[in-house]
Amino acid sequence: MTKIAILGANGRLGRVVAKAFIDAGFDVRTVTRTGKVPAELKGATAIVGDALDRQSLIRATEGVDIIFNGLNPIYTDWGKCLPMAENVMAACHANNALHLFPGTVYNYGSPMPEVITEETPFHPTTEKGRIRCAMEELFRREADAGRVRTILLRAGDFFGGTGSGGWFDLVVAAKMKKDVYTAPGPADLEHEWAYLPDFAVAFVGLARNLDKLGFYEALNFTGHAVTDLEIKAAAEKALGRKLKLSFMPWWVLRAGSPFVAMWREIVSMSYLRFEAHRLVSTRLEEVIGEIPHTPLDRAVAEAMQDIGIAVAASRQAA
C-alpha cells in the first residue's frame, strides 16, 4: 500500500487532500506540530512533526512514498515559506519520496494573463509572487539534479471543505445569513476558483498515474472560471431566496493598510480581484482521465454547508 504523508493536515487544503487519499485506500500519515488532526481524518496515522525543524520533518516522514506539501504560513508571515520548502526537499531526499505540491496563480503578476496555460511564463510583481517563483525554482533545481521528483498542480482560489481563511468564507459568504452576497471585485469579472474536493481527487489521480509523468511536472487544474454573478446565482438557488449584491470596501483596506499588516498583505494582492484570468490545461486530462468537476450549483451549495450556512431542503437532497 502506498504511504503518503500530508503536511499541513490541520489546514483547509491539507484536511481535504488527506480525506481524499484515505478514501482512495492510501496509507495516510498526517503530520502536524501537535500530532492532532480533525475527527474527519479517522483512518489516518497522526504524527508529530515541525516543518521548520529539518530533522523533525525527516523523522516524521520516514518510510513514506509520497509527501504532499500543504504547508502555508499565515498571510502576514510568508518569510517562512522558502525555509519550509527547503526542509521539505530535505525530507523528500532523505526518504526517497515523491513531492506533491499545490501551485498558485501568484507567479504571473499584474497584468494577469487572461488565459493561463502550462507554458505561460512567470512575471511576479508582488513579494508573494516572487516567493512562490523562488519555491518552484528550488523544486525544479532539485528535480534537475535527480534528487527530488516534484509533481505540481496549480489552482485558483479555494472554496469548499471545512476550515476557514479563504475568500469564500471571509468575504463572499460572510453576510449570506443576512441575505447579502459580497463581491470582492467587479461582479462580472471571470475569476479562477478551485473546489477543494475536486482538487484533492485530482491529486489522487496524479499519484495513481506517475508512470505518465516526468521527474518534474507543473500542471494546471481547471476548476471553475466564473463571475461573482454566477456564484451569486448558485448561492441563491441553494438558499431558495434572492441575495442583495454588495461589494468589498477596498478603500477601507487601502486606507488602513499602513497600520494593519493583514490588510497590507491583502491589498498587495488586490489585482487578482480586478483582472480577469482562468487556467487551462493541455495535459491534465491525458494523465488522470476525466478531470474532477463538481457542477457549480452543487459545489457552491456544499461549500456553504461546510461553513454552516443552511441551504434549502431541495438542495440538500440534490
Side-chain angles (χ1 to χ4, degrees):
M1 185 184 293
T2 302
K3 299 180 179 67
I4 181 169
I6 307 292
L7 308 184
N10 275 325
R12 166 175 281 178
L13 172 62
R15 67 176 71 180
V16 176
V17 171
K19 183 68 164 58
F21 275 99
I22 291 168
D23 292 345
F26 285 68
D27 181 348
V28 177
R29 320 283 179 86
T30 53
V31 180
T32 63
R33 285 193 302 268
T34 63
K36 297 177 181 178
V37 291
E40 66 203 73
L41 299 186
K42 182 180 179 182
T45 302
I47 298 175
V48 175
D50 185 349
L52 287 170
D53 182 332
R54 183 167 299 188
Q55 292 307 312
S56 168
L57 192 61
I58 290 172
R59 288 192 300 271
T61 54
E62 185 175 359
V64 304
D65 305 294
I66 301 172
I67 295 176
F68 176 81
N69 183 354
L71 300 168
N72 202 22
I74 61 172
Y75 221 54
T76 55
D77 197 17
W78 269 43
K80 293 177 180 177
C81 285
L82 204 51
M84 289 196 299
E86 291 168 347
N87 289 344
V88 172
M89 288 295 95
C92 287
H93 182 54
N95 293 301
N96 194 29
L98 171 85
H99 177 228
L100 288 180
F101 185 74
T104 75
V105 298
Y106 292 6
N107 308 50
Y108 302 101
S110 177
M112 284 286 285
E114 287 193 26
V115 178
I116 299 169
T117 72
E118 279 121 355
E119 288 73 44
T120 301
F122 297 158
H123 184 255
T125 54
T126 64
E127 183 63 18
K128 283 182 167 53
R130 287 185 282 272
I131 288 170
R132 277 287 180 162
C133 286
M135 291 169 68
E136 292 189 32
E137 288 168 10
L138 168 66
F139 302 154
R140 185 176 281 279
R141 285 198 307 271
E142 290 293 304
D144 289 346
R147 287 191 289 264
V148 178
R149 186 182 184 189
T150 287
I151 310 299
L152 181 150
L153 188 59
R154 196 178 311 281
D157 273 324
F158 299 156
F159 73 112
T162 57
S164 61
W167 282 95
F168 187 82
D169 59 284
L170 294 180
V171 178
V172 171
K175 297 180 180 178
M176 277 190 190
K177 291 180 179 179
K178 297 180 180 179
D179 294 339
V180 175
Y181 180 100
T182 307
D188 59 351
L189 187 89
E190 187 177 61
H191 184 86
E192 184 69 36
W193 292 88
Y195 182 53
L196 276 186
D198 291 342
F199 191 43
V201 171
F203 271 111
V204 174
L206 290 172
R208 284 177 163 165
N209 289 279
L210 296 176
D211 59 319
K212 300 177 185 177
L213 294 161
F215 210 73
Y216 183 88
E217 297 276 6
L219 304 167
N220 286 349
F221 178 74
T222 52
H224 292 278
V226 294
T227 67
D228 276 292
L229 291 177
E230 291 173 283
I231 299 175
K232 177 175 177 285
E236 288 172 337
K237 189 177 291 187
L239 291 168
R241 61 182 186 272
K242 291 292 184 180
L243 296 171
K244 178 185 176 182
L245 179 63
S246 69
F247 294 89
M248 185 170 170
W250 281 103
W251 69 271
V252 174
L253 274 72
R254 291 191 176 98
S257 62
F259 315 103
V260 183
M262 181 61 79
W263 291 9
R264 182 165 58 250
E265 295 301 318
I266 292 171
V267 167
S268 76
M269 305 302 295
S270 62
Y271 70 92
L272 289 167
R273 317 310 310 192
F274 292 89
E275 298 177 13
H277 60 278
R278 63 187 175 94
L279 290 168
V280 299
S281 177
T282 58
R283 296 202 53 223
L284 184 60
E285 191 169 8
E286 294 175 6
V287 175
I288 69 173
E290 184 177 356
I291 298 173
H293 188 83
T294 302
L296 183 65
D297 285 353
R298 188 174 130 210
V300 169
E302 291 176 356
M304 291 164 63
Q305 287 180 290
D306 286 339
I307 58 174
I309 298 174
V311 303
S314 59
R315 287 306 311 161
Q316 291 176 326

CSV table of all heavy atoms in Angstrom, one decimal, residues 5-59:
chain,number,residue,atom,x,y,z
A,5,ALA,N,2.5,11.1,3.3
A,5,ALA,CA,2.5,12.0,4.4
A,5,ALA,C,1.8,13.3,4.0
A,5,ALA,O,2.2,13.8,2.9
A,5,ALA,CB,3.9,12.2,4.9
A,6,ILE,N,0.9,13.8,4.7
A,6,ILE,CA,0.2,15.0,4.4
A,6,ILE,C,0.7,16.1,5.4
A,6,ILE,O,0.5,16.0,6.6
A,6,ILE,CB,-1.3,14.9,4.6
A,6,ILE,CG1,-1.9,13.7,3.8
A,6,ILE,CG2,-2.0,16.2,4.2
A,6,ILE,CD1,-1.8,13.9,2.3
A,7,LEU,N,1.5,17.0,4.9
A,7,LEU,CA,2.0,18.1,5.7
A,7,LEU,C,0.9,19.2,5.7
A,7,LEU,O,0.4,19.6,4.7
A,7,LEU,CB,3.3,18.7,5.1
A,7,LEU,CG,4.4,17.6,4.8
A,7,LEU,CD1,5.7,18.3,4.4
A,7,LEU,CD2,4.7,16.8,6.1
A,8,GLY,N,0.7,19.8,6.9
A,8,GLY,CA,-0.3,20.8,7.0
A,8,GLY,C,-1.7,20.2,7.0
A,8,GLY,O,-2.7,20.8,6.5
A,9,ALA,N,-1.9,19.1,7.7
A,9,ALA,CA,-3.1,18.3,7.7
A,9,ALA,C,-4.2,19.0,8.5
A,9,ALA,O,-5.4,18.6,8.3
A,9,ALA,CB,-2.9,16.9,8.2
A,10,ASN,N,-3.9,20.0,9.3
A,10,ASN,CA,-4.9,20.7,10.0
A,10,ASN,C,-5.5,21.9,9.2
A,10,ASN,O,-6.5,22.5,9.6
A,10,ASN,CB,-4.4,21.2,11.3
A,10,ASN,CG,-4.5,20.2,12.4
A,10,ASN,OD1,-5.4,19.4,12.4
A,10,ASN,ND2,-3.5,20.2,13.3
A,11,GLY,N,-4.8,22.2,8.1
A,11,GLY,CA,-5.3,23.3,7.2
A,11,GLY,C,-6.4,22.9,6.4
A,11,GLY,O,-6.7,21.7,6.2
A,12,ARG,N,-7.1,23.9,5.8
A,12,ARG,CA,-8.3,23.6,4.9
A,12,ARG,C,-7.9,22.6,3.8
A,12,ARG,O,-8.5,21.6,3.5
A,12,ARG,CB,-8.9,24.9,4.4
A,12,ARG,CG,-9.8,24.6,3.2
A,12,ARG,CD,-10.5,25.9,2.8
A,12,ARG,NE,-11.6,26.3,3.7
A,12,ARG,CZ,-12.3,27.4,3.6
A,12,ARG,NH1,-12.0,28.2,2.6
A,12,ARG,NH2,-13.3,27.6,4.4
A,13,LEU,N,-6.8,23.0,3.1
A,13,LEU,CA,-6.4,22.1,1.9
A,13,LEU,C,-5.9,20.8,2.4
A,13,LEU,O,-6.3,19.7,1.9
A,13,LEU,CB,-5.2,22.9,1.2
A,13,LEU,CG,-4.6,22.0,0.1
A,13,LEU,CD1,-5.6,21.6,-1.0
A,13,LEU,CD2,-3.4,22.8,-0.5
A,14,GLY,N,-5.0,20.8,3.4
A,14,GLY,CA,-4.5,19.5,3.9
A,14,GLY,C,-5.5,18.5,4.3
A,14,GLY,O,-5.4,17.3,4.0
A,15,ARG,N,-6.5,19.0,5.1
A,15,ARG,CA,-7.5,18.0,5.5
A,15,ARG,C,-8.4,17.4,4.4
A,15,ARG,O,-8.7,16.2,4.4
A,15,ARG,CB,-8.4,18.6,6.6
A,15,ARG,CG,-9.3,19.7,6.2
A,15,ARG,CD,-10.1,20.2,7.4
A,15,ARG,NE,-9.4,20.9,8.4
A,15,ARG,CZ,-9.9,21.4,9.5
A,15,ARG,NH1,-11.2,21.3,9.8
A,15,ARG,NH2,-9.2,22.1,10.4
A,16,VAL,N,-8.7,18.2,3.4
A,16,VAL,CA,-9.4,17.7,2.3
A,16,VAL,C,-8.6,16.7,1.4
A,16,VAL,O,-9.1,15.7,1.0
A,16,VAL,CB,-10.0,18.9,1.4
A,16,VAL,CG1,-10.7,18.4,0.1
A,16,VAL,CG2,-10.9,19.8,2.2
A,17,VAL,N,-7.4,17.1,1.2
A,17,VAL,CA,-6.5,16.2,0.5
A,17,VAL,C,-6.3,14.9,1.2
A,17,VAL,O,-6.3,13.8,0.7
A,17,VAL,CB,-5.1,16.8,0.2
A,17,VAL,CG1,-4.1,15.8,-0.4
A,17,VAL,CG2,-5.4,18.0,-0.8
A,18,ALA,N,-6.1,15.0,2.6
A,18,ALA,CA,-5.9,13.8,3.4
A,18,ALA,C,-7.1,12.9,3.3
A,18,ALA,O,-7.0,11.6,3.1
A,18,ALA,CB,-5.6,14.1,4.8
A,19,LYS,N,-8.3,13.5,3.4
A,19,LYS,CA,-9.5,12.7,3.3
A,19,LYS,C,-9.7,12.0,1.9
A,19,LYS,O,-10.1,10.8,1.9
A,19,LYS,CB,-10.7,13.6,3.5
A,19,LYS,CG,-12.1,12.9,3.5
A,19,LYS,CD,-12.3,12.0,4.7
A,19,LYS,CE,-13.7,11.6,5.0
A,19,LYS,NZ,-14.3,10.9,3.8
A,20,ALA,N,-9.3,12.7,0.9
A,20,ALA,CA,-9.4,12.1,-0.5
A,20,ALA,C,-8.4,10.9,-0.6
A,20,ALA,O,-8.8,9.8,-1.2
A,20,ALA,CB,-9.0,13.1,-1.5
A,21,PHE,N,-7.2,11.0,0.0
A,21,PHE,CA,-6.3,9.8,-0.1
A,21,PHE,C,-6.7,8.7,0.8
A,21,PHE,O,-6.5,7.5,0.5
A,21,PHE,CB,-4.9,10.3,0.2
A,21,PHE,CG,-4.1,10.9,-1.0
A,21,PHE,CD1,-4.1,12.2,-1.2
A,21,PHE,CD2,-3.6,10.0,-1.9
A,21,PHE,CE1,-3.4,12.8,-2.3
A,21,PHE,CE2,-2.9,10.5,-3.0
A,21,PHE,CZ,-2.8,11.9,-3.2
A,22,ILE,N,-7.3,9.0,2.0
A,22,ILE,CA,-7.9,8.0,2.8
A,22,ILE,C,-9.0,7.2,2.1
A,22,ILE,O,-9.0,6.0,2.0
A,22,ILE,CB,-8.5,8.6,4.1
A,22,ILE,CG1,-7.3,9.1,5.0
A,22,ILE,CG2,-9.3,7.5,4.9
A,22,ILE,CD1,-7.8,10.0,6.2
A,23,ASP,N,-9.9,8.0,1.5
A,23,ASP,CA,-11.0,7.3,0.7
A,23,ASP,C,-10.5,6.5,-0.4
A,23,ASP,O,-11.2,5.5,-0.8
A,23,ASP,CB,-12.0,8.4,0.2
A,23,ASP,CG,-12.7,9.1,1.4
A,23,ASP,OD1,-12.7,8.6,2.5
A,23,ASP,OD2,-13.3,10.2,1.1
A,24,ALA,N,-9.3,6.9,-1.0
A,24,ALA,CA,-8.8,6.2,-2.1
A,24,ALA,C,-8.0,4.9,-1.7
A,24,ALA,O,-7.5,4.2,-2.6
A,24,ALA,CB,-7.9,7.1,-3.0
A,25,GLY,N,-7.9,4.7,-0.4
A,25,GLY,CA,-7.2,3.5,0.0
A,25,GLY,C,-5.7,3.6,0.3
A,25,GLY,O,-5.0,2.6,0.4
A,26,PHE,N,-5.2,4.8,0.3
A,26,PHE,CA,-3.7,5.0,0.6
A,26,PHE,C,-3.5,4.9,2.1
A,26,PHE,O,-4.4,5.1,2.9
A,26,PHE,CB,-3.3,6.4,0.1
A,26,PHE,CG,-3.1,6.5,-1.3
A,26,PHE,CD1,-4.2,6.4,-2.2
A,26,PHE,CD2,-1.8,6.7,-1.9
A,26,PHE,CE1,-4.0,6.6,-3.6
A,26,PHE,CE2,-1.7,6.8,-3.3
A,26,PHE,CZ,-2.8,6.7,-4.1
A,27,ASP,N,-2.3,4.6,2.5
A,27,ASP,CA,-1.8,4.6,3.9
A,27,ASP,C,-1.4,6.1,4.2
A,27,ASP,O,-0.4,6.5,3.8
A,27,ASP,CB,-0.7,3.7,4.1
A,27,ASP,CG,-0.1,3.6,5.6
A,27,ASP,OD1,-0.5,4.5,6.4
A,27,ASP,OD2,0.7,2.7,5.9
A,28,VAL,N,-2.3,6.8,4.9
A,28,VAL,CA,-2.1,8.2,5.1
A,28,VAL,C,-1.5,8.5,6.5
A,28,VAL,O,-2.0,8.1,7.5
A,28,VAL,CB,-3.5,9.0,4.9
A,28,VAL,CG1,-3.3,10.5,5.2
A,28,VAL,CG2,-4.0,8.7,3.5
A,29,ARG,N,-0.5,9.3,6.5
A,29,ARG,CA,0.1,9.8,7.7
A,29,ARG,C,-0.1,11.3,7.8
A,29,ARG,O,0.3,12.1,6.8
A,29,ARG,CB,1.7,9.6,7.7
A,29,ARG,CG,2.1,8.2,7.2
A,29,ARG,CD,1.8,7.1,8.2
A,29,ARG,NE,2.2,5.8,7.7
A,29,ARG,CZ,3.4,5.3,7.7
A,29,ARG,NH1,4.4,6.0,8.2
A,29,ARG,NH2,3.6,4.1,7.3
A,30,THR,N,-0.7,11.9,8.8
A,30,THR,CA,-1.0,13.3,8.9
A,30,THR,C,0.1,13.9,9.8
A,30,THR,O,0.2,13.5,11.0
A,30,THR,CB,-2.4,13.6,9.5
A,30,THR,OG1,-2.6,12.8,10.7
A,30,THR,CG2,-3.4,13.2,8.5
A,31,VAL,N,0.9,14.8,9.3
A,31,VAL,CA,2.0,15.4,10.0
A,31,VAL,C,1.6,16.8,10.5
A,31,VAL,O,1.4,17.7,9.6
A,31,VAL,CB,3.3,15.4,9.2
A,31,VAL,CG1,4.4,16.1,10.0
A,31,VAL,CG2,3.6,14.0,8.7
A,32,THR,N,1.6,17.0,11.8
A,32,THR,CA,1.2,18.4,12.3
A,32,THR,C,2.2,18.6,13.5
A,32,THR,O,2.7,17.7,14.1
A,32,THR,CB,-0.2,18.5,12.8
A,32,THR,OG1,-0.4,17.5,13.9
A,32,THR,CG2,-1.2,18.1,11.6
A,33,ARG,N,2.2,19.9,13.9
A,33,ARG,CA,3.1,20.2,15.1
A,33,ARG,C,2.6,19.6,16.4
A,33,ARG,O,3.4,19.3,17.3
A,33,ARG,CB,3.2,21.7,15.3
A,33,ARG,CG,4.0,22.4,14.3
A,33,ARG,CD,4.3,23.9,14.7
A,33,ARG,NE,3.1,24.6,14.8
A,33,ARG,CZ,2.5,25.3,13.9
A,33,ARG,NH1,3.1,25.4,12.7
A,33,ARG,NH2,1.4,26.0,14.1
A,34,THR,N,1.3,19.4,16.5
A,34,THR,CA,0.7,18.9,17.7
A,34,THR,C,0.4,17.4,17.7
A,34,THR,O,0.2,16.7,18.7
A,34,THR,CB,-0.7,19.6,18.0
A,34,THR,OG1,-1.6,19.3,17.0
A,34,THR,CG2,-0.5,21.1,18.1
A,35,GLY,N,0.4,16.8,16.5
A,35,GLY,CA,0.0,15.4,16.3
A,35,GLY,C,-1.5,15.2,16.4
A,35,GLY,O,-1.9,14.0,16.4
A,36,LYS,N,-2.3,16.3,16.4
A,36,LYS,CA,-3.7,16.1,16.5
A,36,LYS,C,-4.3,16.6,15.1
A,36,LYS,O,-3.8,17.5,14.5
A,36,LYS,CB,-4.3,17.0,17.6
A,36,LYS,CG,-3.8,16.6,19.0
A,36,LYS,CD,-4.4,17.6,20.0
A,36,LYS,CE,-3.9,17.2,21.4
A,36,LYS,NZ,-4.4,18.1,22.5
A,37,VAL,N,-5.3,15.8,14.7
A,37,VAL,CA,-6.0,16.1,13.4
A,37,VAL,C,-7.5,16.1,13.6
A,37,VAL,O,-8.0,15.5,14.6
A,37,VAL,CB,-5.6,15.1,12.3
A,37,VAL,CG1,-4.1,15.3,12.0
A,37,VAL,CG2,-5.8,13.7,12.8
A,38,PRO,N,-8.3,16.7,12.7
A,38,PRO,CA,-9.7,16.7,12.8
A,38,PRO,C,-10.3,15.3,12.8
A,38,PRO,O,-9.7,14.3,12.2
A,38,PRO,CB,-10.2,17.5,11.5
A,38,PRO,CG,-9.0,18.2,11.1
A,38,PRO,CD,-7.8,17.4,11.5
A,39,ALA,N,-11.4,15.1,13.4
A,39,ALA,CA,-12.1,13.8,13.5
A,39,ALA,C,-12.4,13.2,12.2
A,39,ALA,O,-12.5,12.0,12.0
A,39,ALA,CB,-13.4,13.9,14.3
A,40,GLU,N,-12.6,14.1,11.1
A,40,GLU,CA,-13.0,13.6,9.8
A,40,GLU,C,-11.8,12.8,9.2
A,40,GLU,O,-12.1,12.2,8.2
A,40,GLU,CB,-13.3,14.8,8.9
A,40,GLU,CG,-12.2,15.8,8.6
A,40,GLU,CD,-12.6,17.2,8.2
A,40,GLU,OE1,-13.0,17.9,9.1
A,40,GLU,OE2,-12.5,17.5,7.1
A,41,LEU,N,-10.6,12.9,9.7
A,41,LEU,CA,-9.5,12.2,9.2
A,41,LEU,C,-9.2,10.8,9.9
A,41,LEU,O,-8.1,10.3,10.0
A,41,LEU,CB,-8.2,13.0,9.2
A,41,LEU,CG,-8.3,14.3,8.4
A,41,LEU,CD1,-7.0,15.0,8.3
A,41,LEU,CD2,-8.8,14.0,7.0
A,42,LYS,N,-10.3,10.3,10.5
A,42,LYS,CA,-10.2,9.0,11.1
A,42,LYS,C,-9.7,8.0,10.1
A,42,LYS,O,-10.2,7.9,8.9
A,42,LYS,CB,-11.6,8.5,11.6
A,42,LYS,CG,-11.6,7.2,12.4
A,42,LYS,CD,-13.0,6.8,12.9
A,42,LYS,CE,-13.0,5.5,13.6
A,42,LYS,NZ,-14.3,5.1,14.0
A,43,GLY,N,-8.8,7.2,10.4
A,43,GLY,CA,-8.2,6.2,9.5
A,43,GLY,C,-6.8,6.6,9.1
A,43,GLY,O,-6.0,5.8,8.6
A,44,ALA,N,-6.4,7.9,9.4
A,44,ALA,CA,-5.0,8.3,9.2
A,44,ALA,C,-4.2,8.1,10.4
A,44,ALA,O,-4.7,8.0,11.5
A,44,ALA,CB,-5.0,9.7,8.8
A,45,THR,N,-2.9,8.0,10.3
A,45,THR,CA,-1.9,7.9,11.4
A,45,THR,C,-1.4,9.3,11.7
A,45,THR,O,-0.8,9.9,10.8
A,45,THR,CB,-0.8,6.9,11.1
A,45,THR,OG1,-1.3,5.6,10.7
A,45,THR,CG2,0.2,6.8,12.2
A,46,ALA,N,-1.7,9.8,12.9
A,46,ALA,CA,-1.2,11.1,13.3
A,46,ALA,C,0.2,11.1,13.7
A,46,ALA,O,0.6,10.2,14.6
A,46,ALA,CB,-2.1,11.7,14.3
A,47,ILE,N,1.0,12.0,13.2
A,47,ILE,CA,2.4,12.1,13.6
A,47,ILE,C,2.8,13.5,13.9
A,47,ILE,O,2.4,14.4,13.2
A,47,ILE,CB,3.3,11.5,12.4
A,47,ILE,CG1,3.0,10.1,12.1
A,47,ILE,CG2,4.8,11.7,12.7
A,47,ILE,CD1,3.7,9.5,10.9
A,48,VAL,N,3.7,13.7,14.9
A,48,VAL,CA,4.2,15.0,15.3
A,48,VAL,C,5.4,15.3,14.4
A,48,VAL,O,6.3,14.5,14.2
A,48,VAL,CB,4.6,15.0,16.8
A,48,VAL,CG1,5.2,16.4,17.1
A,48,VAL,CG2,3.4,14.8,17.7
A,49,GLY,N,5.4,16.5,13.8
A,49,GLY,CA,6.5,17.0,13.0
A,49,GLY,C,6.4,18.4,12.8
A,49,GLY,O,5.3,19.0,12.7
A,50,ASP,N,7.6,19.1,12.8
A,50,ASP,CA,7.6,20.6,12.7
A,50,ASP,C,8.4,20.9,11.4
A,50,ASP,O,9.5,20.5,11.2
A,50,ASP,CB,8.4,21.2,13.8
A,50,ASP,CG,8.4,22.7,13.8
A,50,ASP,OD1,8.0,23.3,12.8
A,50,ASP,OD2,8.8,23.3,14.8
A,51,ALA,N,7.7,21.5,10.4
A,51,ALA,CA,8.2,21.8,9.1
A,51,ALA,C,9.4,22.8,9.2
A,51,ALA,O,10.2,22.9,8.2
A,51,ALA,CB,7.2,22.4,8.2
A,52,LEU,N,9.5,23.5,10.3
A,52,LEU,CA,10.7,24.5,10.4
A,52,LEU,C,11.9,23.8,11.1
A,52,LEU,O,12.9,24.4,11.3
A,52,LEU,CB,10.2,25.7,11.2
A,52,LEU,CG,9.3,26.7,10.4
A,52,LEU,CD1,8.8,27.7,11.4
A,52,LEU,CD2,10.1,27.3,9.3
A,53,ASP,N,11.7,22.5,11.5
A,53,ASP,CA,12.8,21.7,12.1
A,53,ASP,C,13.1,20.6,11.1
A,53,ASP,O,12.4,19.6,11.0
A,53,ASP,CB,12.3,21.2,13.4
A,53,ASP,CG,13.4,20.4,14.2
A,53,ASP,OD1,14.3,19.8,13.5
A,53,ASP,OD2,13.4,20.4,15.4
A,54,ARG,N,14.2,20.7,10.4
A,54,ARG,CA,14.5,19.8,9.3
A,54,ARG,C,14.6,18.3,9.8
A,54,ARG,O,14.0,17.4,9.2
A,54,ARG,CB,15.8,20.1,8.6
A,54,ARG,CG,16.2,19.2,7.5
A,54,ARG,CD,17.3,19.8,6.6
A,54,ARG,NE,16.9,21.1,6.1
A,54,ARG,CZ,17.6,21.8,5.2
A,54,ARG,NH1,18.8,21.3,4.7
A,54,ARG,NH2,17.2,22.9,4.7
A,55,GLN,N,15.3,18.1,10.9
A,55,GLN,CA,15.4,16.7,11.4
A,55,GLN,C,14.1,16.1,11.9
A,55,GLN,O,13.7,15.0,11.7
A,55,GLN,CB,16.4,16.6,12.5
A,55,GLN,CG,17.9,16.9,12.0
A,55,GLN,CD,18.3,16.0,10.8
A,55,GLN,OE1,18.0,14.8,10.8
A,55,GLN,NE2,18.8,16.6,9.8
A,56,SER,N,13.3,17.0,12.5
A,56,SER,CA,11.9,16.6,12.9
A,56,SER,C,11.1,16.2,11.7
A,56,SER,O,10.4,15.2,11.8
A,56,SER,CB,11.3,17.7,13.7
A,56,SER,OG,9.9,17.5,13.9
A,57,LEU,N,11.2,16.9,10.6
A,57,LEU,CA,10.4,16.6,9.5
A,57,LEU,C,10.9,15.4,8.8
A,57,LEU,O,10.0,14.6,8.3
A,57,LEU,CB,10.4,17.8,8.5
A,57,LEU,CG,9.4,17.8,7.3
A,57,LEU,CD1,8.0,17.8,7.9
A,57,LEU,CD2,9.6,19.0,6.4
A,58,ILE,N,12.1,15.2,8.7
A,58,ILE,CA,12.7,14.0,8.1
A,58,ILE,C,12.2,12.7,8.9
A,58,ILE,O,11.8,11.7,8.3
A,58,ILE,CB,14.2,14.0,8.1
A,58,ILE,CG1,14.7,15.1,7.0
A,58,ILE,CG2,14.8,12.6,7.8
A,58,ILE,CD1,16.2,15.3,7.1
A,59,ARG,N,12.2,12.8,10.2
A,59,ARG,CA,11.8,11.7,11.1
A,59,ARG,C,10.3,11.4,10.9
A,59,ARG,O,9.8,10.3,10.8
A,59,ARG,CB,12.1,12.0,12.5
A,59,ARG,CG,13.6,11.9,12.9
A,59,ARG,CD,13.7,11.9,14.4
A,59,ARG,NE,13.2,13.1,15.1
A,59,ARG,CZ,13.9,14.2,15.2
A,59,ARG,NH1,15.2,14.3,14.9
A,59,ARG,NH2,13.3,15.3,15.8
